[in-house]
Amino acid sequence: MDKDLKSTFLDALETSQDKLLRICSSYAKDPDDAKDLFQEVLVNVWRALPNFKANSSLATWMYRITLNVCLRHRANLQRERKRFSRLKSVEIEQIDTENPNRPDEVRLLLLRNCVRNLNNADKAVITLYLESLPYREIANITGLKENTIAVKVKRIKTKLLNCINAKL
């Protein structure tokens, strides 16, 4: 094992791990599923690292891999659902809004639920935006134009606000 490669991987993981896990959580049905996705991301990053060309930052490259793994996971789940009859068409996280621990926690859970219900393209954009990535980097990761990202973020924010307000 190349020491420089291992060091690069560990350094990148240290700086990006929380963001990558949060992205995985947006595409997962529960925390265990998010951890499984995160592990799959790490395996993919490790395997692809020797081929990293530095056309973008290492973090941007890792976000792209994370989104691809998450989107592939989502597509596999959808294919699986088509093969089997559904017992429930939508899974909604139940929140006791009359006795919340803290109003911020309720809003955060509602936001996560609303983000999970977005289409894959919108979910990718807003997840990266919520990680405080600049529009330019989101554009590099998603392959969209920077202006398109700005417009999408504004529209997605409106969708999320309407979704949260409808559930409060």
Side-chain angles (χ1 to χ4, degrees):
M1 178 186 313
D2 184 2
K3 247 185 175 179
D4 289 337
L5 190 64
K6 182 178 179 182
S7 176
T8 300
F9 177 76
L10 292 175
D11 289 346
L13 180 59
E14 186 177 323
T15 59
S16 300
Q17 147 178 331
D18 291 340
K19 289 181 179 186
L20 299 177
L21 186 55
R22 282 191 297 266
I23 292 168
C24 290
S25 295
S26 295
Y27 288 88
K29 60 183 179 236
D30 57 47
D32 289 334
D33 192 34
K35 289 176 186 173
D36 290 344
L37 268 174
F38 180 66
Q39 286 181 346
E40 190 175 337
V41 165
L42 294 182
V43 168
N44 278 272
V45 168
W46 176 253
R47 285 181 180 159
L49 194 55
N51 300 321
F52 176 63
K53 305 266 191 267
N55 294 334
S56 62
S57 74
L58 184 58
T60 298
W61 181 77
M62 290 172 63
Y63 295 141
R64 184 174 290 231
I65 289 175
T66 302
L67 282 175
N68 286 336
V69 167
C70 291
L71 291 172
R72 188 170 49 246
H73 172 73
R74 174 63 60 107
N76 289 341
L77 283 178
Q78 288 173 346
R79 267 193 302 275
E80 223 173 86
R81 283 187 195 139
K82 288 178 183 176
R83 286 187 217 141
F84 301 101
S85 52
R86 290 190 251 180
L87 297 175
K88 284 176 145 181
S89 61
V90 177
E91 183 179 316
I92 298 177
E93 199 169 344
Q94 295 297 317
I95 299 172
D96 182 3
T97 54
E98 295 191 23
N99 299 311
N101 293 340
R102 292 189 347 227
D104 290 346
E105 288 176 358
V106 171
R107 285 202 167 99
L108 180 59
L109 289 173
L110 288 171
L111 175 62
R112 286 181 180 160
N113 190 43
C114 291
V115 168
R116 283 187 186 113
N117 291 323
L118 292 172
N119 66 47
N120 288 336
D122 287 353
K123 187 184 302 185
V125 170
I126 202 66
T127 301
L128 295 171
Y129 175 80
L130 290 171
E131 289 300 330
S132 302
L133 294 178
Y135 290 163
R136 177 170 288 153
E137 193 165 354
I138 296 171
N140 287 337
I141 293 167
T142 61
L144 299 171
K145 293 183 179 178
E146 198 171 336
N147 290 342
T148 303
I149 297 297
V151 171
K152 278 184 146 309
V153 166
K154 184 174 179 177
R155 289 179 181 162
I156 296 166
K157 282 181 178 179
T158 301
K159 282 183 192 177
L160 292 174
L161 185 60
N162 291 338
C163 177
I164 290 169
N165 287 337
K167 294 181 182 202
L168 282 178

